[in-house]
Amino acid sequence: MSKIPTISRRQFCAGVATAVVTATFSPKNSHAFLSSQDDIVGFNPLFIPELIDSRTHNGPIDVSIQNGQHEFVAGRTTPTLGYNGSYLGPTIRMYQGEDTHIRFTNLMKEPTTVHGHGLHVPGEVDGGPQLRIEPGETWDVTLPIVQEASTNWYHPHLMGTTAKQVHAGLAGFYLIEDENSQLLGLPNTYGLDDIPIAIQDRTFKNGVMTPYPTSPPDDLREDTIIVNGTLNPVLEVPPSLIRLRLLNGANARAFEIYRSDGGPLIKIATEGGLLEQAVKLESIKMSPGERNEVIIDMSAMDEVDLKVVFLAKKYTSLNTMIAPTQQMLRLKTSSKLEKQNTTVPYTLNHIQPYNADDALVSRSFDLEDMAINGVKMDPEVINEQVKLGELEIWTIDSGRHPFHMHGASFQILSINGKAPAPEDRGWKDTINPRGQAKILLRFNHEASKQYPYMYHCHILEHEDMGMMGQFTVT
Ligand code: C2O
Ligand code: CU
Ligand code: CU
């Protein structure tokens, strides 16, 4: 543990918000703003989605996309959507170098698609808006997994109904493993010390989730945190290192996550893979669509609370200080659970840096006024044509919008003119620079005119309103 490079307090304060300090150590603030959660008494065991391992599963993995009645609070049902269940979906584990065969059957009365966010797969199996699954239909898809170990997710991607369908419960994890991730000695027992954490905000009245509004706001920001669909969750864990695969699965909210005891979140992975080395952080900011893997050392602790700061739309380090804070997840060690790993490996991965000098093509993407580069998504228009295998520099002027593109992972060249911090020097597919980012990327799979990749704002309301574009890779 002592070998892990630590961001010193001074560096931390210079680069990241000082907010956490205020929020962390102010007990009055630490349990604030539970408005719609007030009627929830006590803690609930964290829901862990079923794990389907593509290696041990017999035959194709069947997933039905269905209506459900979900009990966020025992005895009170909310009409929801889910994959094989009433809210969220199974975690599907896949392996580098292997195909994963899934059959998605749409049992709903409306069309949908299933996009693999973070997957490096050809456009024809990417699950974008063109790959509609009509009611009653089955999408039989084989995903060729070539990329390295990473935490990804799947969700609908039909323009106009993505926000509503995700809000009702359609989201699940795709976890990719490779030789490195399996041999490293990182926590990897699913549900025990390797935990998927989907963070969302919702509104509840008397334990019933408020449905997606019929005339939605520009971005839907609600008042109550749920994790894996659980209100005020607690998880019993072994007295060891606990790996949390954090996903911001909110429609529009950005969160800042920190420990109530001021202890470190040990970041080990960005969206597209493990960092080269773990980095200790006091807090982590996450925009919709982003993932981060962190380790919490529970080997000498009885319990710890994770808290969330609700970041303002246009947050700066100043206004995070007055942002509402909410309980997110309690981890409690249990002596009944066998001790697992207690040391974070020093070297996690090897990341070959892209060389900006090799990038012959540059493009820019300006996210403004619910459009990108001044135009809204038009299914008939291909906005960009990318050459297969060529390194490119993209300049993202995103203001407050989280930018995401399909088909590859990128490396950050700079954020607002500065080199990325150690914890951002990994593979990513979603970024909210709150200003300008320059990224380096290369696409190694094809996306035809018929099945192009998408780039878009990952605030789902903005995406639905057309803050999205299409590109081919050939
Ligand atoms: Cu998370 Cu284009 O999607
Ligand atoms: Cu995506
Ligand atoms: Cu946006």
Side-chain angles (χ1 to χ4, degrees), residues 115 117 404 406:
H115 166 58
H117 179 136
H404 165 59
H406 295 196

Side-chain angles (χ1 to χ4, degrees), residues 115-119 126 155 157 404-407 429 454 456 458:
H115 166 58
H117 179 136
L119 296 192
D126 182 56
H155 64 74
H157 216 302
H404 165 59
M405 92 296 148
H406 295 196
D429 57 54
M454 317 305 289
H456 57 93
H458 218 288

Side-chain angles (χ1 to χ4, degrees), residues 1 184-187 241 295 340-345:
M1 280 276 302
L184 259 180
L186 281 173
L241 300 180
I295 283 178
Q340 308 288 313
N341 296 1
T342 51
T343 331
V344 181

Side-chain angles (χ1 to χ4, degrees), residues 168-184:
L170 292 183
F173 283 92
Y174 279 155
L175 307 185
I176 299 176
E177 299 292 341
D178 62 15
E179 231 170 77
N180 178 43
S181 72
Q182 290 175 284
L183 296 175
L184 259 180

